[in-house]
Structure formats: structure tokens, C-alpha cells
Amino acid sequence: MTVHLRPLRIAAHAELISLVIMLANLATAHLKPISSLMGPTHGCAYLFVIGATWRLRQATNATKATAVIPGIGGLLALRRLGRAGTRSDRAQDVGSGRVRSS
């Protein structure tokens, strides 16, 4: 079964970008329209990242906990998921006698 991480990747980037925009707005002009747009955007992306990570079967408890970190949790969870996939691929190659050249 193939698991597509594209929606999680999009939400993780949206979460980080919206947080950066909100913090930049707070540090500079503090414009209400920007806060009104970016606040809900960040909140939705944050909740989507958590939900999408927790639904993945290959996500370990550490990966699920990492996804809860605001701002960068989604990207860190993706990184952990990528490493887990690489480890399982290597384990299958070693078990089957195939060797990958790196």
C-alpha cells in the first residue's frame, strides 16, 4: 500500500509560512487584516498536520508527538517519516540479499 505524503507536506509548509508571516506582522506593522487571515490559516494547517500524522500507520509515537510542535512540527514529522521509510527499505534489501550502492 502506498501512502501519499503530499497533503501533509503542503500543510506543513503552510503551517510554517503562516507562522512566519504572523510573527513578522507582529514585529512590524501589526495589521489586523493580516492577523485575521493568517491566524485561522495557521490554525487549520496545524490541526491538519496533527490529524494527518496521527492517521499514518507508519508514524511512530515519537513522530506523532513531533507533529504537535507548533510551526515546525509538520516538517519534523515528515523528516522522521522519510527516515523511517529509508530504514525499512534498507532492512528489506539486507534481508533479501540485495545491497544498495550509496
Side-chain angles (χ1 to χ4, degrees):
M1 183 174 97
T2 303
V3 177
H4 298 284
L5 298 177
R6 187 169 186 220
L8 178 58
R9 188 171 285 113
I10 292 169
H13 284 93
E15 178 189 10
L16 179 62
I17 291 168
S18 62
L19 180 64
V20 168
I21 292 172
M22 284 193 311
L23 292 175
N25 183 43
L26 184 64
T28 57
H30 195 64
L31 300 172
K32 186 159 176 56
I34 293 176
S35 300
S36 297
L37 179 65
M38 288 295 115
T41 302
H42 175 71
C44 288
Y46 176 64
L47 291 175
F48 186 89
V49 163
I50 293 170
T53 304
W54 280 62
R55 291 189 65 181
L56 293 173
R57 290 186 183 180
Q58 73 262 30
T60 63
N61 288 336
T63 303
K64 292 175 183 178
T66 302
V68 178
I69 300 171
I72 61 167
L75 294 174
L76 293 174
L78 282 168
R79 184 177 180 187
R80 290 185 61 87
L81 288 168
R83 286 185 178 177
T86 303
R87 276 191 231 123
S88 67
D89 291 345
R90 286 185 187 156
Q92 288 175 354
D93 289 345
V94 170
S96 66
R98 292 181 291 179
V99 179
R100 283 189 179 175
S101 59
S102 297

